[in-house]
Amino acid sequence: RDFTVNTLAIRLGTLGQEAAPELIDPFGGRRDLEAGVLRVLHSLSFLDDPTRALRAVRLERRLGLRLAPETERLIGIALGEGAFDRLSGARLRAELDLLLSEPEVALPGLERLASLGVLGAIEPAWVHDRTLVPEVETRLHGALAAWDWYRLEGLREPAVDLAELLGLALPLDLPPEARKRLADRFAVNGPQRARRLGGRETVQKALAALLPNARPSAVSAALSDLPGEELLLVFAAADETGRAWIRRDLAELRGIEPSIRGADLLAAGVPGGPALGLALRAVKRALQDGDLAPGREKELAFALATVPVRAIGEEAL
């Protein structure tokens, strides 16, 4: 166990006996719990496992406790000894994700980590004078507000992971080399790494498509491939016009699909291959833009008119 309040246990007694349950409290956990204090078990705790500092802040914020002064001092000693520099990226990321996954804890927890010097040891660009940089704080507030909107709307798709959302928001405005350094530090790989490295450019590209006079199909195409976390970052950064587009896309546009399928086009003489996809996508765009009324016959005629003549077999001609 990491802290005295974690060490409490109750001896229930032997089966069949009527003895009252006995509290086992070898480290004074009950006293600390009643005093609202979070106290580490031993002086080398943070040197042995620096992730305990992140765990301490998470429990402090979640349970309304406060770190004992000696525990704060021991965190400072671990920082001075470079303990966080030796911590593996995977373990650091796992513990930070646990903190970021709790909406009521995430921002206060990051602010507390900054005040303790821990967040600055992870990434100096996020902290100035042991406080969150205002731009970072504003970005996190925006991401959390977008998350609140997503939940209040009862949305389930695209799926959103809060820890990933805030993990993307934190380095969003850092220079590319800093984002790469952080991705390396946290041992982030695969699609998650690509999002961390290119998140800023992805958000800017999507924002550029959310214009007042944009075609609905163009907006939907710009947003459709975004993971839920990136979509909420776009929502957080967008003006009211952009947010209206995102609401419309989620509520209406991305749910519009042609009633015809590839088999209908094949039966009409369109050979298999790229022409099928081109025609179906053209029908979807026309439906989204209101240029085509729904209905199988109208959609099929529009699709056949869209397919290049050379792609249609002689029998169909």
Side-chain angles (χ1 to χ4, degrees), residues 255-271:
I256 294 176
E257 293 292 343
S259 59
I260 59 172
R261 298 290 181 264
D264 298 309
L265 296 178
L266 289 171
V270 179

Side-chain angles (χ1 to χ4, degrees), residues 5 63 65 70 78 82 110-111 125 138 147 162 230 237 255 261 280 301 316:
V5 297
L63 302 177
L65 305 175
E70 178 65 10
L110 289 172
E111 291 170 341
T138 298
W147 164 260
L162 179 59
E230 289 183 341
R261 298 290 181 264
L280 291 174

